[in-house]
Amino acid sequence: PDPDSDPNPGPNPDPDPDSDPNPDPDAGPYHAQHFSITYRYHTVIVMEGRKLPDDAQPRYLEEEGLYVGERPPVTPSNENILENRVLKQEEGRRWFGDDGRILALPDPIKESSTRPPLFLLEEELDPALHTVYHKAVMSQHAVRGAGPQGEYQLDVDVSGLIFSHHPLFSREHVLTARLAQSYDLHLSRGRGNLSLHLTHKVRAPHPQGQTTSPTRPEPPTRSDHLTHKYRLEVRSTRLLRDGELEKDRALLRTMVTLWKEVKALRELQRYSNTPYKLCLRREEVERALDERQYEEEVLMEVMEQEAESEELYQKRLGAYREQLEEWKVWRRQQVGWGQVEPGGTRCLPALVFISPGDAGVCVTRRDRSDQVSTCPGEVALTPVCVCVRAELARREEVLRRHLLVKVLYNEKEVSQTDRRALGPDFRVHFGQIFNLRVRNAPQSIRLQVFEEVGSAPSLLAGVCVPVPEPSVLTGRTPTEELEFSSNQRVLFSHEGVGSDVPFSFQEDGGNRQTLLTSGKMACCVSWGRGEEDAPLVTIDPLRRSAAHRESSSKPVCWAAESRLDPNDPQNTAVMQLLKVACSGEVTAPEYFRLEQLQEEFNFATEEELERSRRFRLLRLRSQEVSEFRNYRCVPSLEREVTDKTFQEYERRLREGDMVDTREHLDSHRALVAKYLQKIRESVINRFLVAKHHYLLSDLVMEEQVPSIGILGLNLFKLAEPKRPLKPQRKERKKVTAQNLTDGDIRLLVNIIRAYDVPARRPFSSRPPAPARPGGPSFSESFAAPPPQNPAQGSDWLLSQVGWVRPFVEVSFQRTVLQTSPAEGPNPCWNQELELPFSAPNGDYSTTGLQAVKDVVFINLFDEVLQELGDDAEGGRSIHTRVERHWLGSVKIPFSTIYSQARIDGTFKVDTPAVLLGYSKERSHGDGGGYDTVRSLSEGTFLTVFITMEPQLVPGDTVREKFDSQEEERLLLASERFEKEAGLSFPDRPCLTSVIDISGKMVFITRFIRPLNPPPELLDAFPNSPQDATDLVARFVSLVPSLPDSTSFSGACDLWSTSDQFLTLLAGDEEEHAVLLCNYFLSMGKKAWLIIGTAIPEGPTAYVLTLEQSRFLIWNPSSGHHYGQHDTFCPLQAVGCLVSADNVWFNIQEHASPMRISLDVGKAHLWKPFFSRSFPHPGLASVQPPELLYRRSDRAAAAELQERMEKVLKEKLMEWRPRQPTRWNRYCTSTLRHFLPRLELSGGRDPDDQHRLELQALLGDYRISGFPLHLPFSELRPVVEAVFSTGVHSAEASNVEFALAVYVHPYPNNVLSVWVYLASLLRSR
Amino acid sequence: MASNNPSVFLLMINGQIEGGNFPEYDDLYCKYCFVYGHDWAPTSGLEEGISQITSKSRLSPHKLIWNFPLEITFKSTNPSGWPQIVVSVYGPDTFGNDVVRGYGATHIPFSPGQHTKTIPMFVPESTSRLQKFTSWLMGRRPEYTDPKVVAQGEGREVTRVCSQGFVTLTFHIVTKDMKKLGYDGTPSDPSNTLSPPTQSLYMRTRR
């Protein structure tokens, strides 16, 4: 089809004959399509002729006298627009009336408001018009009401109730109730008249039983057998009848005794409460008939017994004859043989029988029972005044009782009857019918009987009425009597017998009885009838099927029990049903399927899905399992998915608990790594959901509404120079990390300048001026540079001594970039390096980025130009070799850059303790004005600015409401404290409650508690507390650092207690700080935890100690300490101080530690959390009372040392694929010898002894080398660090290497690793 | 390459962005890009493009014509993540700032043959009237962080958009090996199965 054709067949319908009949042929399809989208309106008055059919005159109904309503007011221009538009439409004319105007209904707006005025100024709102709030309540049955909507009605008829026992019964009542009960029983027996029925059965005409003559002994035939059976039956029936008659008589007897008791009681108490009276009436019986019947009966019985005896006689006679014959034969034989056997006399059998005539039939006969009836009203009730006091009280009590019945439908009260007084006869008549309009399928109908004494009704008993079958309709159902009872215990002080209380009829109190309140309720529930007698029945499908099932299973049992005759034509229907029911095909399934057609739509069965590798791959990918999260191009065919794809995943699953020690060199650390991995996974799973939760700012970029201040600034900016000389850094737009791909993100590293780069020193065998261990001082700096030894250094570096050509190399994710070299020990580069960044697996989500563990290495090198001298060409060409010597490095984890967005500051360069060939003495020549600042610290410093392009939004730390075991009051106070702090000083971190490793909120002071440091450390320097302190700090810093954000993907900052920290051997700065603070406290120092911000870590924790009225700030992750006024202290801002019993927030003007007072006692400078108004509630610490340490394991350390050295050597050779790598064994052993000394000195350059020693031994080599020192977590960081120094890149052909590793064990498996790396170059 | 049992199928797309219908705006240009699932990879052609600026003329006062060609071939193993083309239209506002005039996306048609698609376009709305005013004043209308957002359903509930106009695209689709891998992309309506009856009719007349 033509794509451009308009769906509207008439693109420009113009029915007006006046307009151009030929549409513009130039109007192309685009024009046509335009009309389908937009319509430009016209306000021109439409001609009458266009609106009416051709040649029709407008007709005005109003003028013709017809009523036309008033049209709603519309402005003429709007009307014209509408008319124009309507006419454009097909059949537009039908919208117009005869008068040529648009059809309109009369104005529907009424003249005056019909609604009552709601707001009256002068008076209050009419109470009837008040809005009333009703809380919405979910009906528990509403869901079940799945049946079709319609009119259903249940009629509940509550006619009345009778108590068979009531607490207010008097003894007489009890007796009469019993009497009435037995009379009822009697009546019902009389109605059933079982005994009469049985009597008739007995008297039924006897079959041919009598015809069997006693003289005709026959062999038993079939008819004989039948007769015999019949007789048996008659006999049992008679027995039954006699029993029934006996029961009747017993009942009569009980009634008579009861009546006698009643009479006796009435005599005794001298009044009567009940109108009952038993009348025994003798019935006029036709004696003659009766006699005759009796005679007949007796006769029949006698005859029966006679027949019985006769039968017996015949039987025995037959037996006798047989015996006689036998005897005769035997006798004859005896005679024939002619001898008598001794002892063989056989007697003639005796015939013993009872002749029929002798049978004494004894039938006892009693007179026909007397007819019994009770006639109420014949006993006059004793008037009230005559009664005794107790009875009086009882009667009054009875009068005060009222009863009512509540009707509950589906356990909800729907209605209740009126209150009815409990009469003296304990009968209540209600006679009320409730028509229930039913919406939900009936589950239960209950009637509750309430008794009211005074005002409060109390529940007496409840009756469950069965839900009627759908066939039960109103009008056809008889009233049912349902029994109810209650086991309430009621005790009275008056004559009432109470309920569940033993009482006695006799005066002596014997024969005690206990009765419970009980009674009968007469009611009836049926389905209502609507108009035209239509039944209003809900047919609940569930109930119906249940009924059906019941009906099919029941008759089977019944048929089996009653031995139905299958051939009886009357039973055919039943048998048919049974056959069907038993065949098993109709049996209802025991389950219920929601989507029965689901199977039809499954495109593969579950097993196929399970088996198929391809489906499995697809499924794992959509579940975002980490291995497959961004798996590309799942093969289309099953066979192309190899098992290899799953190997890694399956191994991970399998090795959930197994530990691979090969990769980790240390089994304990492997365990910890596994544990951390597990925690991380669980946290990631928790936040996978949150990842799919978007905010508007994630999707839409929108400018913020500028405030007046910003607008003003913007105006001010207009006057700024276009290209300022010192440009300011501007905030950039932030980009959410979800739509990025590889190559989109770059890391910008701006290397600005460095201070105090170590300068070269000549190789000399003579020691230079000895450096003081406390750090170089001014006096030393002014000492002349040591003179060179011309013998060794004459050919090189003469001009370069004391000089240095440093450059900076930045390596990140194996991309290496470097600046151009600058001159001098205080170089200035001001150069920007751009490094590409690629996330693992191409996962650029916030979680993925936070989990990046890569580190930016900023290495400082010295570029050494070495002239190789002239060779073959005879001095005409000079060869120079560029060497580079590593001077130091700064490591910044990517996670820090990501979370802080930018890093700007001066960092201390991590220089090795020993730099062969370089001196760390401060070059003083060009120090200039900076000296006053720098002199306070030692070391090399580098100013850098690092950021990312585009700027990524760091993941929000999800601040969930975690559970806590803290008191609610404390949590509230902590929340308020943090909020106030955030309001007044938003840039100062304030922490009062933190999350522990199990995810619970814990108040921060609970983490502070004096804890014993390892005894080995304390014993090392028994008489120098200063050294011991340093050693403890060093120990803490040797525990590997692992930022929480990488391990927990930015979810939250988790704090672990010190023992957990030492077990995990990995933790954040906070854990280090807490441990160090606790150690210091136990060593008797005054120590606080500083919550503040530092570079490069960002928000972090440091430790503050007070030593000899001087504050020291400790960096727990490096072990260094700084004075309060140290310029190069990495701590930038102090937010709050934490001790074991309080938290103080810094409310001073400045946050920098240099400019504040650290005395927390001053309340106007430090705001305490616990104050006099909110005292410390005595929070117990979460830390253990004591830390247990394992002794340092030297053997394991030695083993690790060996393995590590091997691995590093292999790696170094691997990094030099082109050149051979020679190892200088002699140098290596010297270095190895030297490393333990370095460890002992705590990482400080011990003396020049070592250098000299080396120099002496390796006189003809030029060595450049350095020891690296790092805490041990696993092998990878060590390898990474070695790689970053770039020693392996030495290209000279005759270069040799030396590598020594030393692992020093500390208690609790904390290891300090030293790697001494040197490259040697034979100088001649 | 075994043509008998292929492991990937190819989807070749030729076509063009014909033009747009933006009654209120003029001097517009458009950008396009493709969004596809993990199992898809472009083998040749351009994944992204930016067109010339087009103005309205007297002859077609409401239609902007770009006639910007598309040509790209995808290979894939799985129809899930079928490519979608995302078109975004930009143009100057009253003060000459380049602002976005519409975003739209559609799936590439499944069946081989020629297809014409008209995509309704929309832009995100400002969150408040004040924002709307300032964005108008400063010429920084709200826009999606990435136009590819309009091809995915996730996170859309947080945005509000306003419809803007239409862009018409034509596609000519060729697929290869789809059937061999078990995917039937041809439509099942009788218009395509018209040829066999006519053939038989023809045969009958010959006899």
Side-chain angles (χ1 to χ4, degrees), chain A residues 729 747-751 817-819 829-834 945 947:
Chain A
R729 289 206 167 88
L747 199 68
L748 302 185
V749 182
N750 216 332
I751 311 289
L817 287 177
Q818 63 183 58
T819 63
W829 294 280
N830 218 351
Q831 211 169 339
E832 189 177 90
L833 304 176
E834 227 180 82
F945 176 80
T947 189

Side-chain angles (χ1 to χ4, degrees), chain A residues 992-1013:
Chain A
T992 54
S993 53
V994 293
I995 299 146
D996 72 355
I997 205 143
S998 55
K1000 290 210 174 95
M1001 297 264 276
V1002 173
F1003 199 71
I1004 193 167
T1005 58
R1006 288 182 188 260
F1007 280 94
I1008 310 294
R1009 176 180 199 168
L1011 288 173
N1012 55 315

Side-chain angles (χ1 to χ4, degrees), chain A residues 1281-1322:
Chain A
V1282 170
F1283 180 82
S1284 73
T1285 61
V1287 169
H1288 60 273
S1289 59
E1291 299 217 337
S1293 56
N1294 54 349
V1295 72
E1296 289 176 30
F1297 291 94
L1299 188 144
V1301 177
Y1302 174 65
V1303 176
H1304 185 82
Y1306 279 96
N1308 225 28
N1309 214 358
V1310 173
L1311 299 173
S1312 161
V1313 174
W1314 289 89
V1315 179
Y1316 210 128
L1317 203 58
S1319 67
L1320 299 100
L1321 209 59
R1322 193 180 287 275

Side-chain angles (χ1 to χ4, degrees), chain A residues 865-890:
Chain A
L865 288 171
Q866 195 175 10
E867 287 172 20
L868 290 176
D870 43 4
D871 37 288
E873 297 186 35
R876 266 172 297 161
S877 65
I878 297 172
H879 292 256
T880 7
R881 188 167 61 219
V882 180
E883 280 182 8
R884 53 192 207 158
H885 296 161
W886 187 74
L887 298 179
S889 73
V890 177

Side-chain angles (χ1 to χ4, degrees), chain A residues 3 30 34 37 614 618 621 631-634 636 640 692 694 696 698-703 705 733 739, chain B residues 7 21 23 38-39 62-63 77-78 116 126-127 130-131 140 142-146 149 154-155 158 181:
Chain A
Y30 286 118
H34 148 65
I37 297 162
R614 179 167 181 261
L618 288 170
R621 186 174 68 181
Y631 196 88
R632 297 219 168 250
C633 281
V634 173
S636 56
E640 289 172 31
H692 289 282
Y694 289 92
L696 180 69
D698 296 337
L699 290 177
V700 178
M701 272 192 294
E702 194 173 20
E703 288 286 299
V705 175
K733 233 190 277 178
N739 293 307
Chain B
S7 60
N21 212 324
H38 288 300
D39 298 329
H62 301 290
K63 185 83 182 174
T77 58
N78 193 349
T116 304
S126 297
T127 41
L130 182 62
Q131 294 263 36
R140 303 288 300 252
E143 44 185 273
Y144 282 122
T145 51
D146 189 333
V149 164
E154 212 173 34
V158 298
L181 286 172

Side-chain angles (χ1 to χ4, degrees), chain A residues 286-468:
Chain A
E286 291 171 66
R287 192 164 277 277
L289 184 71
D290 211 28
E291 290 276 302
R292 209 173 54 235
Q293 266 183 5
Y294 174 62
E295 285 305 319
E296 270 174 26
E297 216 168 284
V298 170
L299 205 65
M300 213 180 306
E301 261 184 65
V302 167
M303 270 165 65
E304 245 168 58
Q305 287 200 355
E306 264 175 20
E308 223 169 280
S309 319
E310 175 69 36
E311 203 178 327
L312 202 65
Y313 165 71
Q314 289 296 341
K315 237 187 228 166
R316 289 195 184 162
L317 193 64
Y320 168 73
R321 279 200 187 124
E322 269 171 37
Q323 279 180 350
L324 194 65
E325 281 302 310
E326 237 174 82
W327 182 78
K328 274 177 185 164
V329 170
W330 178 76
R331 182 83 188 148
R332 226 173 281 137
Q333 279 171 349
Q334 292 282 339
V335 172
W337 291 104
Q339 50 183 327
V340 179
E341 282 185 14
T345 6
R346 210 168 159 183
C347 305
L348 191 75
L351 186 64
V352 185
F353 62 90
I354 310 153
S355 74
D358 295 346
V361 177
C362 172
V363 178
T364 47
R365 168 73 194 180
R366 282 195 196 98
D367 280 344
R368 195 97 172 104
S369 48
D370 306 310
Q371 290 294 325
V372 186
S373 69
T374 57
C375 310
E378 286 181 28
V379 176
L381 287 183
T382 317
V384 174
C385 52
V386 189
C387 298
V388 291
R389 203 188 198 93
E391 171 62 16
L392 217 62
R394 189 192 68 81
R395 289 198 186 179
E396 270 168 21
E397 177 89 39
V398 171
L399 286 181
R400 263 189 286 144
R401 298 261 166 153
H402 287 87
L403 284 172
L404 60 95
V405 174
K406 287 183 178 177
V407 181
L408 278 84
Y409 180 78
N410 285 353
E411 302 303 323
K412 275 187 295 185
E413 184 183 329
V414 287
S415 55
Q416 65 180 55
T417 60
D418 303 336
R419 282 168 68 234
R420 294 288 159 94
L422 179 70
D425 52 352
F426 293 96
R427 283 165 191 263
V428 185
H429 178 73
F430 295 106
Q432 278 183 302
I433 298 177
F434 302 101
N435 301 328
L436 309 182
R437 270 300 150 83
V438 181
R439 306 205 60 153
N440 307 323
Q443 311 290 325
S444 70
I445 303 165
R446 242 143 70 86
L447 302 176
Q448 284 183 335
V449 182
F450 280 82
E451 197 175 39
E452 211 177 68
V453 192
S455 59
S458 63
L459 179 65
L460 202 62
V463 189
C464 265
V465 186
V467 177

Side-chain angles (χ1 to χ4, degrees), chain A residues 597-871:
Chain A
L597 292 175
Q598 183 58 47
E599 250 171 52
E600 317 267 331
F601 292 105
N602 284 347
F603 85 108
T605 59
E606 283 291 319
E607 296 86 60
E608 272 173 39
L609 280 176
E610 283 298 321
R611 231 181 311 118
S612 164
R613 288 193 294 263
R614 179 167 181 261
F615 288 150
R616 186 173 174 210
L617 193 57
L618 288 170
R619 208 152 25 142
L620 286 172
R621 186 174 68 181
S622 79
Q623 282 168 2
E624 299 195 332
V625 174
S626 57
E627 277 89 354
F628 308 102
R629 199 174 297 160
N630 285 299
Y631 196 88
R632 297 219 168 250
C633 281
V634 173
S636 56
L637 297 173
E638 173 76 34
R639 63 184 144 80
E640 289 172 31
V641 187
T642 52
D643 283 329
K644 216 189 282 176
T645 326
F646 299 104
Q647 258 173 15
E648 204 171 309
Y649 171 64
E650 274 165 359
R651 203 180 61 216
R652 184 167 69 96
L653 289 188
R654 211 170 40 237
E655 291 180 358
D657 300 316
M658 266 161 50
V659 177
D660 190 5
T661 42
R662 267 176 302 127
E663 277 181 34
H664 287 278
L665 301 179
D666 181 358
S667 59
H668 175 73
R669 281 185 168 78
L671 275 173
V672 168
K674 216 77 189 180
Y675 179 69
L676 282 181
Q677 179 71 21
K678 266 189 186 168
I679 292 185
R680 196 182 151 192
E681 262 168 35
S682 72
V683 171
I684 282 179
N685 286 339
R686 226 163 93 190
F687 288 94
L688 266 182
V689 186
K691 207 183 88 183
H692 289 282
H693 185 80
Y694 289 92
L695 290 177
L696 180 69
S697 56
D698 296 337
L699 290 177
V700 178
M701 272 192 294
E702 194 173 20
E703 288 286 299
Q704 289 302 310
V705 175
S707 64
I708 299 296
I710 292 172
L711 276 178
L713 273 180
N714 282 349
L715 286 176
F716 187 68
K717 263 187 199 160
L718 291 177
E720 272 184 359
K722 279 260 172 190
R723 297 191 60 172
L725 288 176
K726 190 170 183 239
Q728 297 275 312
R729 289 206 167 88
K730 284 179 195 163
E731 274 293 317
R732 287 160 305 147
K733 233 190 277 178
K734 295 195 174 180
V735 174
T736 39
Q738 54 173 331
N739 293 307
L740 298 165
T741 48
D742 277 349
D744 278 0
I745 304 181
R746 281 154 302 145
L747 199 68
L748 302 185
V749 182
N750 216 332
I751 311 289
I752 297 162
R753 64 171 79 224
Y755 308 104
D756 285 345
V757 177
R760 292 169 202 161
R761 91 159 83 205
F763 284 91
S764 88
S765 49
R766 224 179 46 175
R772 269 195 291 159
S777 68
F778 276 109
S779 59
E780 194 188 357
S781 315
F782 282 107
Q788 273 86 59
N789 188 343
Q792 287 184 1
S794 59
D795 58 334
W796 76 293
L797 295 177
L798 190 59
S799 59
Q800 297 179 8
V801 165
W803 196 244
V804 69
R805 268 171 71 84
F807 68 93
V808 172
E809 190 185 81
V810 180
S811 72
F812 177 60
Q813 290 186 338
R814 294 291 156 109
T815 313
V816 181
L817 287 177
Q818 63 183 58
T819 63
S820 53
E823 303 282 326
N826 291 308
C828 177
W829 294 280
N830 218 351
Q831 211 169 339
E832 189 177 90
L833 304 176
E834 227 180 82
L835 295 114
F837 168 73
S838 64
N841 296 333
D843 180 10
Y844 283 89
S845 60
T846 313
T847 359
L849 287 178
Q850 270 165 340
V852 172
K853 279 190 190 163
D854 292 307
V855 177
V856 181
F857 287 97
I858 302 172
N859 289 306
L860 189 64
F861 287 97
D862 177 24
E863 190 185 78
V864 181
L865 288 171
Q866 195 175 10
E867 287 172 20
L868 290 176
D870 43 4
D871 37 288

